[in-house]
Amino acid sequence: MLINLLLKSPLTFFMIAVPLLYSLVLHELAHAVVAYKFGDSTARYSGRFTLNPLKHLDPIGTMMLLFFGFGWAKPVPVNYNNLTPRKMGIVCCSIAGVTVNFLIAFVSLVLFKLTGKLALPDTIKLGFVITAEINLILASFNIIPIPPLDGSRVLAVLSPPSVQRLLHSIEQYGLIVIMILLYLGFLDPVIRSIKHLLLSIISFFI
């Protein structure tokens, strides 16, 4: 739990907490920006076009993160009926956060490799690794097609109406389902597999 880490090693806590905080912020900001590019200004008018974490963090989600290691930010409000073209807008808006997390991980690992032989403090190099790890996990988790995760919206667009109705009907219970699956460890192998795939893609390029 992060709160225990704060008591034991404040430096390590901030090395993890700060990248995690802004990884969540950038994830949500990406949704807002892409939605705006496709014609929906809801997120912009809701004050979500900002790097201010107070505008993005959910109080309960943040507490869960500190005490249980699992949390969430406030979802960006999007009116999908305003997106043009609609289906492409939904897909791009949905994968925007995952894409940003992947890119942050990619850049972090590139910087780690480039600075490998430089006489930089080990804490800086470790920071690159921690940032990459956090963002790979966030990307892997959010791409799972369980409502309200981002992957579910992509699945809904690509699925027949019957599947869309099913996803919509379980969305209000989705967070509870996800928490149960995480607690039981059922999502762990899924997250690890996706993370390994993303890491393989990054390794191919660097």
Side-chain angles (χ1 to χ4, degrees):
M1 292 185 294
L2 285 178
I3 197 67
N4 289 339
L5 189 60
L6 174 61
L7 300 175
K8 294 178 180 178
S9 177
L11 177 60
T12 305
F13 170 82
F14 284 107
M15 285 182 62
I16 296 175
V18 173
L20 177 56
L21 174 68
Y22 276 97
S23 295
L24 290 171
V25 168
L26 289 170
H27 178 102
E28 295 301 328
L29 180 59
H31 288 308
V33 171
V34 173
Y36 179 74
K37 293 296 184 181
F38 276 87
D40 179 53
S41 302
T42 306
R44 184 178 185 182
Y45 292 142
S46 299
R48 302 299 294 274
F49 263 48
T50 177
L51 289 172
N52 181 359
L54 297 179
K55 294 290 186 177
H56 296 283
L57 296 185
D58 179 89
I60 298 177
T62 302
M63 294 298 293
M64 290 286 292
L65 189 65
L66 289 173
F67 286 95
F68 299 101
F70 165 73
W72 57 87
K74 289 188 294 186
V76 164
V78 177
N79 186 340
Y80 294 106
N81 292 323
N82 291 336
L83 302 179
T84 305
R86 187 173 184 273
K87 287 188 176 182
M88 179 63 72
I90 293 175
V91 170
C92 291
C93 185
S94 298
I95 66 172
V98 170
T99 302
V100 164
N101 290 136
F102 175 79
L103 291 175
I104 293 173
F106 181 88
V107 171
S108 297
L109 290 177
V110 168
L111 291 174
F112 175 75
K113 183 173 182 179
L114 291 176
T115 59
K117 296 182 179 180
L118 299 179
L120 293 177
D122 289 339
T123 52
I124 294 179
K125 297 178 182 179
L126 180 60
F128 292 142
V129 175
I130 291 174
T131 301
E133 177 75 10
I134 287 171
N135 280 276
L136 285 173
I137 292 174
L138 285 173
S140 302
F141 174 67
N142 278 283
I143 207 170
I144 296 174
I146 301 176
L149 299 179
D150 299 330
S152 67
R153 302 201 183 280
V154 178
L155 177 61
V157 170
L158 303 177
S159 300
S162 58
V163 176
Q164 294 178 19
R165 287 193 294 270
L166 174 63
L167 291 171
H168 180 71
S169 66
I170 66 175
E171 184 164 1
Q172 60 181 321
Y173 310 108
L175 189 57
I176 297 174
V177 171
I178 290 169
M179 293 180 69
I180 293 174
L181 292 176
L182 282 169
Y183 178 77
L184 296 175
F186 291 154
L187 290 182
D188 292 350
V190 178
I191 293 173
R192 282 197 301 268
S193 297
I194 299 174
K195 177 186 165 187
H196 178 73
L197 174 61
L198 296 178
L199 189 57
S200 298
I201 295 172
I202 293 175
S203 298
F204 175 79
F205 287 101
I206 66 174

